[in-house]
Amino acid sequence: PAGKSADYVNTGTWAKKAFSEAKIVGKARLAGSVEEADGTCKRIPKASELDWDASAAYAHICSNNTIMGTQFHEFPDTGAVPLICDMSSDILWKPIDVSKFGLIYAGAQKNIGPSGVTLVIAKKSLIEAGREDIPKIFRYKEHAKENSLLNTAPTFAIYMMRNVLQIVKEQGGLPAMEKRNREKGALIYGLLDESSSFFRGPVEKESRSFMNPVFRLPSEALEEKMVSDAKKAGFVGIKGHRSVGGIRISQYNAVTVEQVAKFVEFAKGFAKANG
């Protein structure tokens, strides 16, 4: 609202983009950043590093940073300031206490379903206080009032989301998802820690993402060879984002422990042959 500002934390590409967009429509303030001189973010900031404005309209974070391979494992305490979180890439990876947030938003395209729909969990009091000087389509309270039918809904994406949520429930819910995701993380990070002279993980251990482990090899030529050899072995999409390079293993909920174990087996063989 007029006369207020919002706090943003920069932990990577998507958090930085959110901050940039916020400045277009209001006053946004950087409460913390871990971006290094080369543009990379290798960790999540400590609570002591964050400078919150006690009078901010809200505080915004991105829970998982797909490009940088970092993830919040403890959410910051913003006191009376509503905490807004972009959970697009790690919602449903484990149980979350939603009461700690003013609003959570998540694009469906990682753990929930196909792209085209966004899940929003919001406190009614927060969205009721939303701005009135923007088009209705951008006001969450209008969507809530119309039971998410303010506009013609993307019915197929919602149908698929319903199916995915049903499967998650049938497979044991979020406690089961967390157990599986931690097993996958242990496999990949075990590989990096055991073969640190060949596979170099740039992210600090306390900040490692369970959704998007990233690592580098001794040379870019070897990284290209690994991507090529992996494709022949049946593993696709492991090339790191173009902005940072390297290797990225996106192991969302749909990826099984067995599939990750097979990749680790392949990676060990590649290191032995090329190390």
Side-chain angles (χ1 to χ4, degrees), residues 4 7 29 51-57 78-82:
K4 285 271 195 177
D7 280 354
R29 170 182 172 274
D51 175 30
W52 300 116
D53 175 6
S55 63
T78 53
V81 176

Side-chain angles (χ1 to χ4, degrees), residues 88-201:
S88 294
S89 57
D90 68 348
I91 197 166
L92 301 189
W93 91 273
K94 72 169 186 175
I96 297 290
D97 181 1
V98 297
S99 69
K100 292 183 177 180
F101 300 88
L103 186 146
I104 293 168
Y105 65 98
Q109 65 275 7
K110 307 298 185 186
N111 279 340
I112 314 176
S115 59
V117 65
T118 302
L119 169 71
V120 179
I121 304 168
K123 286 188 174 175
K124 291 179 181 177
S125 58
L126 180 67
I127 60 174
E128 281 297 323
R131 284 171 57 168
E132 300 283 350
D133 60 341
I134 54 176
K136 278 190 175 184
I137 198 72
F138 297 132
R139 301 183 213 165
Y140 281 130
K141 72 174 182 179
E142 296 295 334
H143 287 275
K145 189 195 305 181
E146 299 297 333
N147 196 29
S148 293
L149 293 171
L150 180 64
N151 61 319
T152 302
T155 50
F156 180 75
I158 293 170
Y159 166 72
M160 290 302 294
M161 179 176 163
R162 190 282 308 261
N163 291 351
V164 171
L165 293 174
Q166 188 173 320
I167 290 169
V168 169
K169 283 184 178 181
E170 289 171 356
Q171 292 184 351
L174 297 191
M177 294 300 107
E178 179 178 15
K179 180 177 181 293
R180 206 162 78 178
N181 285 318
R182 289 193 181 278
E183 286 176 14
K184 291 185 288 187
L187 284 168
I188 288 288
Y189 290 120
L191 168 72
L192 302 191
D193 293 339
E194 290 166 16
S195 312
S196 56
S197 61
F198 189 78
F199 298 118
R200 180 175 57 83

